Amino acid sequence: MEAPQYVAARVQQALAEDGRTHELGIRVDIRGDQLFLRGQVSEAAQRERLGQVAHEAAPELHLHNEINVVEATEPGEDERLD
C-alpha cells in the first residue's frame, strides 16, 4: 500500500492541475482509509468539483469533503484615515 503522504501529495497535485479545479489552498489529510479535504472556497460548485477530483485521484479512500463555502461580497465603503 502507498504511504499516506504520497497519496496526499497525489491528491493535492490533482486538485492543483485538474482543469476543473486549479485549486492550491485545500488541505488534504489521509487517516487510514479516510481522505479529508479542508479549506474554503467561494462556490458550492467548486466544493463539489474538488470532491470529485479528489475521489478520482484516490478512489480507494472514503472521502470526507469538509471544505467550507464562504460568501465573497463586494467591499463596503472606503475607510477614511484622518
Side-chain angles (χ1 to χ4, degrees):
M1 179 164 186
E2 194 174 11
Q5 63 268 28
Y6 294 126
V7 177
R10 184 178 72 225
V11 173
Q12 193 78 49
Q13 182 176 3
L15 297 177
E17 294 179 355
D18 192 284
R20 296 168 286 176
T21 54
H22 293 296
E23 188 69 54
L24 297 173
I26 300 301
R27 194 170 70 245
V28 177
D29 294 315
I30 307 293
R31 301 280 183 250
D33 66 347
Q34 310 292 310
L35 166 62
F36 295 88
L37 298 180
R38 296 184 177 106
Q40 296 180 338
V41 295
S42 60
E43 310 180 335
Q46 179 70 348
R47 178 184 185 275
E48 296 306 315
R49 285 189 297 268
L50 288 163
Q52 182 179 8
V53 170
H55 176 69
E56 291 170 5
E60 70 280 5
L61 300 178
H62 299 284
L63 176 65
H64 299 274
N65 191 340
E66 298 179 353
I67 297 171
N68 293 315
V69 178
V70 295
E71 184 178 338
T73 60
E74 292 291 323
E77 296 179 22
D78 291 340
E79 181 180 1
R80 294 185 58 154
L81 301 174
D82 293 324

